[in-house]
Amino acid sequence: MNTELPPARRAMVMMRVGITMMLKDRARFVGTVAGVVFAVVLAAQQLGIMFGLLQKNTMFVDSAAADIWIAPPGTELFQPGQRVPASTIDLARTTPGVHLASPLVVGGGTIKKPDGGNEGITLIGTDTSTWLGGPWNMVAGAREAILQPDTMIFETADREKFGGLNLESIREVSGHLVHVGGFTWGLIPFGPSYAFAEIDAARDMLGAASNRVDYVLVTVEPGMQTEEVVSRLKARMPDLKIISGPDFHTAIVTNLLKNQLGMSFGLSTSFGLIIGLVIVALSMFSSVIDNLREFGTLKAIGCTNRDLTALVLAQSVAYAVVGSLVGLFLVTRMAAGIRSARLVVITPAWLTGLVPIVMLVLCLLAAVLALYRVRKLEPGMVFR
Amino acid sequence: MTLEPMTGDAPAVTVRSLTKIFGGGATAYTALAGVDMDVRAREFLMLVGPSGSGKTTLLSILGCVLSATAGSAVVLGRDVTTMKPDELPAFRLQKIGFIFQGHNLIAALKSRDNVALVQELRGVPRAQALKDADEMLVAVGLAGKEHSLPGDLSGGQKQRVAIARALVGAPPIVLADEPTAALDAHSGHAVIELLKALTQERGTTVICVTHDPRIFSFADRIVNIEDGLIRPDDGSHS
Ligand SMILES: Nc1ncnc2c1ncn2[C@@H]1O[C@H](COP(=O)(O)OP(=O)(O)OP(=O)(O)O)[C@@H](O)[C@H]1O
Ligand SMILES: [Mg+2]
């Protein structure tokens, strides 16, 4: 009499049969993998675009080099149109633990094109004594250019849009003639691109009071805990929103996900996953139906339901692995192809790591229907 | 590693009052109406009868792929009608070789892998299982076809692979349902001749359902079944 085969080895035998069967049916294999690839590409692409859009809204906060933001009450996003009292700066500067406190002005401006039309800009007035909230990602010129009178830095991706901007071009911005002193790359939020001026020049262009302050950007003294300084500032300015840079980032992301982005990208991502699930499920189910006699034969010669489960699951794991690899390869290539100053597709490493796991779950779920059919199959059918 | 053939004169199969009713109520159909039958160890028995007489039904119950409605069917000392469902696959795997009307090979597997699979499931290490398979393929006259896929073989060759799969590891009983029906007369004759020779040398008990009078001469005994009953005038011949 033969010895009982250990379950793990027996499962290996069945998995080998499953993989062989899967590879033999090349058309179905390619079709099913394509389904997984579709799900990976669509889901990762949608999430990548969503992260890109989130980044558009957080990039100023991320790059402003401020440990702490002082903003008007109720601030949820970084955008123009909010004010804090001018006295805030002195209050902040005299708070123990504060290293620097700089005003920032943000407003909507217009740039007049040579042909007469107007385009919007998001005018940023930077305190050039600290450069907190100053231009970054410079691709031409230097940020110090705005120290020159009536000189601004614009977004390179909008040069055409603004009527063929070049270094030293002269344009009318909100009624003031300015020189183009440099260009940034990719500084385009949801609204018009950021354009930087020295803070007093910006106030001038905006027709604002000479003490207008929209935000105060704070850095803490070396060795100080940001949270500690935040609470001190809060104690002195209970009516203002005082938030650390990272918390502001998180608040913006949360706000956008809750309000709009989360819903629409959640839907399109789920759509990709559901389509993938359906394709894989139908393919695996039809594979069982097409090979019903073979599965019946396996049962008749002594395979158990557990054996056939191993066979089917090996196939679904293989679909997930191959589909994830091909899909991620395509996503990486596509993200590189799409990347522009207007839209950066961001696929963080954790997303790349998550894809195969999600696809594995998806493919295992997709196997349920096929497994149900296989388990229900009567071995007696082989004699019919 | 091989399975032990039945020894002594204990009957391989003892069927008593075996009844199978398909469905229920008004549409109930009695396929087996109380079959009594004995099959001796090492006997090559042919089961013949008109279409719909219950041959396949009887074979299916003996092969543990169909449950009985009433009666008993003792196969190799165990009443298969009372066995627990989760015992059946192992019993089939270890004790019974199946040959179907179609070859029922796994299309994706080479002939040797089709044959070796049974041995591997029985716990034979892969290398040995492949060796057993190759030997069996030589025995059925398919030397050189070990690496062929079923799709590349003729009908007769495929049925030979199926015979190799049924006989590898020498299970004590082989159940065959019209193994020649899908073959032309010449290959059919060759296949049954092979089955007879191989099972005889291994001491295997064979129950073979057939419609084909040309192969009756290979039987040790022929049992007639009609309307779900064994015909009483049944005699043995050899
Ligand atoms: N699952 C089933 N449900 C209902 N009736 C069935 C079922 N299986 C078989 N039958 C009926 O039982 C009877 C016996 O069938 P069986 O297949 O055993 O006949 P057979 O002798 O093998 O016939 P054939 O020579 O045509 O293969 C037939 O009338 C058939 O229609
Ligand atoms: Mg039949």
Side-chain angles (χ1 to χ4, degrees), chain A residues 384, chain B residues 22 29 31 50-57 178 211:
Chain A
R384 298 286 158 201
Chain B
F22 286 109
Y29 184 88
S51 189
S53 56
K55 304 183 294 294
T56 297
T57 304
E178 309 198 34
H211 270 311

Side-chain angles (χ1 to χ4, degrees), chain A residues 87-308:
Chain A
S87 58
T88 309
I89 300 167
D90 283 334
L91 270 175
R93 283 181 181 154
T94 54
T95 302
V98 169
H99 179 50
L100 299 171
S102 278
L104 186 79
V105 167
V106 186
T110 55
I111 179 166
K112 197 170 186 180
K113 297 192 285 186
D115 67 10
N118 279 304
E119 292 290 345
I121 54 170
T122 303
L123 184 54
I124 305 286
T126 303
D127 177 357
T128 51
S129 65
T130 65
W131 293 103
L132 292 176
W136 73 99
N137 269 10
M138 299 290 298
V139 291
R143 66 180 188 182
E144 286 73 19
I146 61 173
L147 293 169
Q148 302 298 316
D150 302 319
T151 302
M152 287 184 68
I153 289 170
F154 294 90
E155 165 58 33
T156 190
D158 278 346
R159 286 165 66 179
E160 281 309 308
K161 190 172 153 193
F162 296 161
L165 279 197
N166 279 306
L167 286 178
E168 294 309 319
S169 295
I170 294 176
R171 285 290 184 281
E172 194 182 314
V173 173
S174 299
H176 293 63
L177 284 182
V178 299
H179 295 266
V180 177
F183 290 106
T184 58
W185 187 92
L187 271 48
I188 308 175
F190 267 10
S193 60
Y194 293 127
F196 295 84
E198 195 279 323
I199 189 163
D200 288 320
R203 285 170 177 145
D204 235 20
M205 284 181 244
L206 291 168
S210 62
N211 64 353
R212 166 166 157 185
V213 177
D214 293 61
Y215 294 91
V216 175
L217 307 188
V218 172
T219 59
V220 303
E221 280 176 345
M224 283 299 299
Q225 290 294 310
T226 300
E227 290 321 309
E228 171 64 23
V229 180
V230 165
S231 11
R232 287 182 197 165
L233 290 167
K234 274 184 179 164
R236 300 187 74 175
M237 292 167 265
D239 294 335
L240 294 180
K241 176 152 185 142
I242 297 170
I243 188 167
S244 73
D247 286 352
F248 197 9
H249 171 107
T250 308
I252 293 172
V253 169
T254 311
N255 178 282
L256 289 173
L257 289 183
K258 250 195 266 171
N259 286 325
Q260 1 167 359
L261 286 182
M263 191 57 167
S264 65
F265 282 93
L267 273 179
S268 48
T269 303
S270 326
F271 179 74
L273 294 180
I274 289 168
I275 297 283
L277 179 74
V278 169
I279 292 177
V280 178
L282 286 182
S283 165
M284 294 194 73
F285 182 69
S286 73
S287 163
V288 168
I289 297 299
D290 291 351
N291 297 308
L292 219 45
R293 180 155 287 270
E294 294 193 354
F295 283 103
T297 304
L298 287 171
K299 278 199 170 181
I301 65 175
C303 287
T304 59
N305 276 332
R306 186 198 291 206
D307 291 334
L308 296 181

